[in-house]
Amino acid sequence: MQAVAGVVVLASLYVLLGVGYVLVYRASRVLNLAQGDLMMVGGYALFAAVTTVSASPLIAVPLALAVGAAAGVVVYALLMRPMAGHPVFAAVLVTVSLGILLRVAVVLVYTDQARYPLPAMDLGNPPVRLPGGAAVSTLDALTVISAAALLAGLLAFLRLSRLGIRMRAAAERPLLAAQRGIDFHALFALSWALASFAGALAGVLYASNVRLDPSLGILGLKAFAVALVGGLDSLGGLVAGALIVATVEVLTIRHVNPLLSDVSPFLCLLAMLLVRPWGLWGTREELERV
Amino acid sequence: MVRHRALTLLLVAAVVVPAQASDAYRIGMSVAITGPAAGIYAPAFDAYKVYFKRINDAGGINGHPVEIMFEDDRGEPSRAAANAKKFSEGVILIVNASISPTYKPLMTEADAEKIPLLFGGGVCPREAFPPAHPLIFCSTSFGAQWDSRFAVPFIKAHAGSKAKVGFVAQNIPVSQAEMEFAEKLAREQGLETLPVIVVPGGSADFTPFAAKLKDAGADWVLSWAPWPLEIGVFEALGRIGWTGRYVTYAHQPAQDDLARLKSPNLFAFGGNAMFTEGLPIHKEIEGAVKGQTSHPPHYLVEGWVSAMVLEQALRKCGWPCSKDKLAQTLATVSVDTRGLRGGPIEWTAENHYRQRAYYKVYRWDTGQRAVVPVGGWTKLDVK
Amino acid sequence: MSLLDVRTIEVVYHRAATAVQGITLQVPAGRIVTLLGPNGAGKTTTLRAISGFLDADDARVTDGDVIFDGEAVTGWLPHRLVRRGLVLVPEREKIFETLTVMENLQACRRGGDLDAIFTYFPQLAGRRRQLAGYLSGGERQMLALGGALLCQPRLLLVDELSLGLAPIVVRTLMEAVRRLRDELGLTILLVEQNAAAALEIADHGYVIENGRIVHEGAAADLLAHEDVREFYLGGARSRAGRTYRDVKQYRRRRRWFA
């Protein structure tokens, strides 16, 4: 039962991070390899908000999330928009450089000492008892709830709202969307904002739950493998992929060899690439782009 | 940060290295100022800088200044080897404060040039224990096997015979070997033990490992590894609602996390007195390093103790002091640590670790809302 | 006063290849104007030049002007032109295949009266929830037109409406286009390879070849023109037979300096 709880919590974290990859890829075919570092930025935004603006979580958390979303817009406007019309891999390299820059900037300001925003907000993280003798921390539970809420919200937004329809239209055929009056650059910026919001949310939750340090970005890399397993343009596939990878990871640690923990997502990815390269629910034709 | 360090290095070199003075004690220090392990070892660089500047400002030792050549090894063996080559011209001692992969190249070079090697910060190599290698010395507070020889009886005394004890190691040989040793020791002492759990150091999430421990029914857990892993596993255990007791080696950041977590179930034991005790020597160090380091003062304690030992040895060696004479002198030192350790650091020809190892345990006291010692110093004879 | 006034525009792709040159045409308000010509003549380029290029197209209007309702709109981005009422129904990639019919219709930024569309294209009404990717060729064209109409255009540009469709479907679509002009007063620029169908509903026509306008005139005049009939309408020239010399001189005859 503890294992099941652990899988769900881990999968939720992967979903929060993976949403960023899926949204950006669906919109613009770009692999946002800076997603993990955007998560880290979200965590540090929280820490900065707590230490410089207000220790109240009601102010610091929304502020950190807003900064995270804004970061996405800025990244799009300054770095990704000028790459329009250039080959996609060039844009991907830009995201790689961005990730490195973000990490260096954070280390310069905060050093690589671990930080702890939660005590600074004067909050605790007590365990939540679950049936079967299992327990997870309060923030673990919040992570699961956030991931579910974000996913539900995104699916509803994309399926039901006019803006969501236009986003999907722009993602499928940017030129036709433009010819129907849709400013797809604005929509791409929106997808980046949503992606970095999700990353910042993951960062805020993780930094409060575990710790905050510049190496947080490594989780983004594992989440990238998860997104690929699920199919890079499918939110539904992301959930399935996250659950599968999290299960493999937890079971590997328990029963096989703990040292394989960090490698598990990539082993799953390898297996998926051999069997079904476009991921669980990805679109077949996406294969060429990746 | 890197730029700051390089600049400081240059400035220090200008201060501590007088214009090619042959009338100075020349020491080489290979330290991980930058690199992944810098958080742990870079404070030793600051400690040595401050310590020997004070000495030089007061006139040096036996009327001669102490000149330290600092070299950043970044935790890389190749760099350590290169540093050793640099030092081989004219230094009478090499100090190391870095991770264990840097040991071998330094020891090879020290052996070849017959230069004594002082480990002050990293885990003590086997060669410092009796029977000691003539050139290898270690002042670091933690040592393999001796720490478990303290911790396991401590657990037994507090746990009672029914307790199940778990062991957590990092996936590095020294930590794994130590926890295997501790598990065996615990079994011999009649405790019920669980197999050692090895955790990859870089793990972002320790929860699955904690879950393993919890599900196995561990009442007490012993962990001996670099601090981030020790404390990370404890925190993960706390998050999943484990209520057992956790015993772990108190590396330099320990007092901060004890105060942050405020858990009465966390026992940190070590050879250094925590600065929370506010001893005169603690205040002295805090005063001396103020403004000279970006690290909290208590992070400098290993480096400071090592510098104290070096100072004593140089004084005893006199002038002139060759590397051979220094090596012989080191084997006779008895250093009063003025409260930083539980007792003096005494070396003999056979024992370059210490004649007696002293340990103290600390935990958070919810009543007093402070980090407090659990009992006094415990002494172990090192044979 | 023309709703659309294109003055000697030149379009260059990839900063190297000139696709069209010296294109001049006018589309009076409330009329259907057709642009005829063979494959690769530059018809689509002309329409794209009017309706706007994207950065990714790597194409620019390097000379001349496009005046829409008195406003110079040369080089404007497509979505901006749509807001002014200039809408293109492209030749390929004309619908969103992963969206439903309903979502396709709702996609346009400006939004209009959905029910009106269903009166023009009743076949779509029954397929609202179906994924557009599953529609037949004719239905796709209807959806494309419908989607464009919901952008509330004042000028509709249509690229190759009839391409790949059966004659009866073409007739239905052309009829719908004619109704748009007659009932809604919509101005339409129709690019077509199927000259016969286009000229049947158009008021005026241009012929473009090798990137240049080579002929223009009222639709009726074009229908009667010898060369138009021979090259685009499938009519034979009024000669008894064809000698070798006639055939040999065929290419030389393709001069439009009439």
Side-chain angles (χ1 to χ4, degrees):
Chain A
M1 189 54 207
Q2 184 68 48
V4 171
V7 166
V8 173
V9 171
L10 184 58
S12 302
L13 190 63
Y14 283 150
V15 164
L16 281 173
L17 284 168
V19 157
Y21 291 111
V22 172
L23 282 178
V24 168
Y25 183 75
R26 256 165 81 143
S28 53
R29 300 288 178 271
V30 170
L31 302 173
N32 170 21
L33 295 180
Q35 181 68 5
D37 299 296
L38 286 170
M39 170 194 182
M40 174 198 68
V41 165
Y44 276 97
L46 176 67
F47 185 72
V50 167
T51 52
T52 59
V53 177
S54 163
S56 160
L58 291 173
I59 299 179
V61 170
L63 185 57
L65 294 176
V67 166
V73 177
V74 168
V75 164
Y76 179 74
L78 293 181
L79 291 175
M80 304 313 300
R81 165 101 195 233
M83 301 301 294
H86 290 235
V88 162
F89 71 80
V92 174
L93 286 175
V94 167
T95 67
V96 173
S97 321
L98 172 66
I100 296 174
L101 273 169
L102 287 172
R103 198 163 340 153
V104 167
V106 158
V107 170
L108 275 173
V109 176
Y110 287 105
T111 78
D112 49 13
Q113 198 187 329
R115 309 277 174 177
Y116 299 93
L118 198 66
M121 291 190 281
D122 215 22
L123 290 176
N125 191 12
V128 171
R129 304 268 159 215
L130 300 170
V136 295
S137 75
T138 309
L139 276 158
D140 281 334
L142 271 174
T143 306
V144 177
I145 294 172
S146 304
L150 182 68
L151 210 52
L154 273 175
L155 285 170
F157 167 68
L158 287 173
R159 289 270 138 221
L160 302 175
S161 76
R162 296 276 311 234
L163 191 55
I165 293 171
R166 277 180 216 129
M167 272 189 80
R168 284 188 292 132
E172 184 194 326
R173 291 201 156 133
L175 177 57
L176 181 61
Q179 289 161 347
R180 294 283 172 84
I182 299 171
D183 180 0
F184 62 83
H185 282 297
L187 291 182
F188 286 0
L190 178 61
S191 56
W192 269 89
L194 287 171
S196 65
F197 172 81
L201 183 57
V204 162
L205 288 166
Y206 190 84
S208 305
N209 195 17
V210 184
R211 92 190 80 83
L212 176 64
D213 65 56
S215 70
L216 239 51
I218 203 105
L219 279 169
L221 211 55
K222 292 168 81 176
F224 180 53
V226 169
L228 283 170
V229 166
L232 205 47
D233 59 343
S234 164
L235 285 175
L238 176 65
V239 176
L243 285 168
I244 290 176
V245 171
T247 306
V248 169
E249 199 171 328
V250 170
L251 289 180
T252 307
I253 292 173
R254 281 185 167 242
H255 303 295
V256 181
N257 185 340
L259 302 178
L260 290 176
S261 65
D262 277 342
V263 177
S264 315
F266 301 99
L267 290 175
C268 289
L269 176 59
L270 256 167
M272 186 57 74
L273 286 173
L274 289 171
V275 170
R276 203 181 153 92
W278 48 90
L280 283 171
W281 288 350
T283 324
R284 214 176 252 240
E285 52 101 359
E286 300 305 332
L287 173 61
E288 319 207 24
R289 327 259 190 165
V290 178
Chain B
M1 183 99 163
V2 176
R3 263 208 325 277
H4 169 75
R5 287 266 173 253
L7 195 58
T8 317
L9 197 57
L10 257 116
L11 289 171
V12 163
V15 162
V16 179
V17 179
Q20 286 320 305
S22 55
D23 65 341
Y25 293 98
R26 300 191 71 213
I27 313 285
M29 184 174 191
S30 178
V31 51
I33 304 176
T34 61
I40 306 172
Y41 300 106
F45 167 59
D46 288 344
Y48 264 69
K49 257 191 302 167
V50 171
Y51 195 95
F52 285 102
K53 180 165 186 306
R54 280 200 328 171
I55 295 219
N56 288 340
D57 287 347
I61 294 179
N62 302 327
H64 296 269
V66 179
E67 183 186 308
I68 310 196
M69 290 170 59
F70 295 98
E71 290 291 344
D72 182 4
D73 67 20
R74 294 200 205 155
E76 292 165 19
S78 49
R79 285 196 169 256
N83 294 344
K85 288 255 180 311
K86 261 185 240 177
F87 296 147
S88 56
E89 305 287 315
V91 304
I92 55 176
L93 178 104
I94 299 176
V95 180
N96 171 287
S98 187
I99 56 177
S100 40
T102 59
Y103 291 7
K104 196 147 191 293
L106 285 173
M107 293 203 272
T108 314
E109 192 63 29
D111 228 0
E113 300 290 329
K114 299 282 171 278
I115 306 178
L117 187 48
L118 171 60
F119 289 90
V123 64
C124 288
R126 221 179 355 97
E127 287 83 350
F129 298 152
H133 184 291
L135 295 170
I136 309 290
F137 301 84
C138 185
S139 68
T140 312
S141 65
F142 49 98
Q145 300 199 351
W146 297 105
D147 292 355
S148 294
R149 287 197 181 106
F150 166 76
V152 171
F154 174 83
I155 292 176
K156 182 161 183 207
H158 285 77
S161 48
K162 287 294 177 129
K164 249 190 195 168
V165 186
F167 300 87
V168 175
Q170 185 161 322
N171 61 334
I172 48 179
V174 61
S175 171
Q176 279 176 263
E178 182 64 11
M179 289 293 88
E180 297 288 347
F181 174 80
E183 191 269 331
K184 184 157 157 285
L185 197 61
R187 247 187 301 125
E188 284 165 7
Q189 298 203 359
L191 289 165
E192 192 186 341
T193 64
L194 295 166
V196 175
I197 293 184
V198 181
V199 182
S203 298
D205 184 18
F206 296 118
T207 315
F209 304 97
K212 230 172 151 176
L213 276 168
K214 185 182 167 203
D215 285 346
D219 304 298
W220 284 73
V221 170
L222 174 63
S223 179
W224 196 87
W227 182 252
L229 189 124
E230 287 183 334
I231 198 66
V233 172
F234 175 71
E235 285 187 81
L237 282 164
R239 278 201 301 277
I240 58 173
W242 182 70
T243 48
R245 303 270 160 87
Y246 195 89
V247 178
T248 192
Y249 190 83
H251 292 285
Q252 287 163 155
Q255 64 189 67
D256 300 327
D257 290 302
L258 254 74
R260 176 176 61 88
L261 293 171
K262 301 188 177 41
S263 169
N265 294 337
L266 176 61
F267 295 84
F269 72 95
N272 296 318
M274 285 195 184
F275 278 51
T276 49
E277 297 206 48
L279 301 173
I281 180 68
H282 294 146
K283 302 253 185 281
E284 185 188 317
I285 295 177
E286 281 164 7
V289 304
K290 207 189 185 113
Q292 311 283 327
T293 178
S294 57
H295 302 280
H298 49 277
Y299 278 47
L300 274 63
V301 69
E302 294 284 356
W304 196 270
V305 169
S306 154
M308 285 168 100
V309 172
L310 180 56
E311 180 198 351
Q312 244 252 15
L314 290 175
R315 280 194 197 284
K316 207 167 174 192
C317 190
W319 184 266
C321 183
S322 69
K323 54 193 181 190
D324 301 313
K325 191 162 178 227
L326 186 55
Q328 285 163 5
T329 313
L330 280 164
T332 64
V333 294
S334 170
V335 182
D336 172 15
T337 59
R338 302 175 52 200
L340 288 176
R341 299 265 171 99
I345 294 179
E346 296 162 322
W347 288 342
T348 66
E350 282 287 298
N351 185 342
H352 295 175
Y353 179 61
R354 54 216 64 156
Q355 293 271 68
R356 273 162 277 280
Y358 298 88
Y359 293 94
K360 206 168 191 185
V361 183
Y362 294 85
R363 85 202 279 220
W364 175 264
D365 186 303
T366 34
Q368 292 181 52
R369 298 168 72 79
V371 175
V372 299
V374 178
W377 290 101
T378 303
K379 185 173 69 174
L380 278 182
D381 289 322
V382 175
K383 281 181 265 296
Chain C
M1 176 45 187
S2 305
L3 187 58
L4 179 70
D5 190 356
V6 177
R7 297 177 189 166
T8 63
I9 61 168
E10 175 183 87
V11 176
V12 173
Y13 280 103
H14 311 305
R15 272 155 285 180
T18 307
V20 298
Q21 219 172 27
I23 301 290
T24 299
L25 54 87
Q26 285 90 37
V27 184
R31 297 268 184 266
I32 298 178
V33 172
T34 181
L35 184 59
L36 307 171
N39 264 336
K43 309 192 294 296
T44 299
T45 302
T46 304
L47 280 192
R48 290 291 314 279
I50 299 168
S51 67
F53 290 114
L54 293 182
D55 299 337
D57 297 322
D58 201 7
R60 286 180 52 227
V61 178
T62 49
D63 196 12
D65 292 302
V66 177
I67 316 287
F68 178 60
D69 200 11
E71 193 175 4
V73 299
T74 328
W76 281 25
L77 286 173
H79 66 266
R80 217 175 146 201
L81 285 162
V82 170
R83 298 196 190 143
R84 282 280 189 277
L86 202 166
V87 181
L88 169 73
V89 180
E91 176 195 349
R92 275 172 270 191
E93 302 204 345
K94 59 185 79 171
I95 57 170
F96 297 108
E97 308 214 0
T98 62
L99 270 53
T100 63
V101 168
M102 202 55 181
E103 288 170 343
N104 261 272
L105 292 172
Q106 287 172 320
C108 194
R109 193 69 174 72
R110 298 186 77 194
D113 182 9
L114 263 165
D115 293 320
I117 302 302
F118 292 128
T119 63
Y120 283 100
F121 306 113
Q123 294 95 316
L124 294 178
R127 299 202 186 286
R128 279 176 222 239
R129 301 234 175 279
Q130 196 166 29
L131 273 184
Y134 294 130
L135 295 178
S136 71
E139 287 162 345
R140 279 172 187 241
Q141 199 57 273
M142 288 179 209
L143 180 58
L145 268 173
L149 282 171
L150 282 166
C151 292
Q152 317 232 61
R154 292 188 289 147
L155 170 65
L156 190 65
L157 309 176
V158 186
D159 197 349
E160 302 287 4
L161 188 59
S162 67
L163 205 58
L165 298 179
I168 186 166
V169 179
V170 173
R171 218 169 300 149
T172 314
L173 289 169
M174 289 297 179
E175 186 52 31
V177 171
R178 194 187 56 75
R179 281 178 68 190
L180 291 173
R181 176 198 58 192
D182 295 341
E183 292 167 20
L184 298 178
L186 196 54
T187 313
I188 299 162
L189 175 57
L190 193 63
V191 153
E192 264 302 329
Q193 281 192 48
N194 185 344
L199 287 171
E200 238 173 88
I201 60 168
D203 300 299
H204 200 83
Y206 293 83
V207 182
I208 181 172
E209 256 193 34
N210 291 330
R212 297 180 134 84
I213 304 279
V214 291
H215 197 66
E216 72 161 289
D221 297 334
L222 284 174
L223 267 170
H225 192 284
E226 253 195 8
D227 290 330
V228 172
R229 287 169 62 93
E230 177 168 352
F231 298 129
Y232 294 106
L233 297 173
R237 295 194 88 80
S238 46
R239 289 256 175 110
R242 286 187 159 223
T243 66
Y244 167 71
R245 200 178 289 150
D246 292 331
V247 175
K248 188 177 155 202
Q249 288 170 346
Y250 182 83
R251 279 223 189 103
R252 224 183 292 147
R253 289 203 53 107
R254 296 194 63 180
R255 301 280 183 266
W256 292 95
F257 306 117

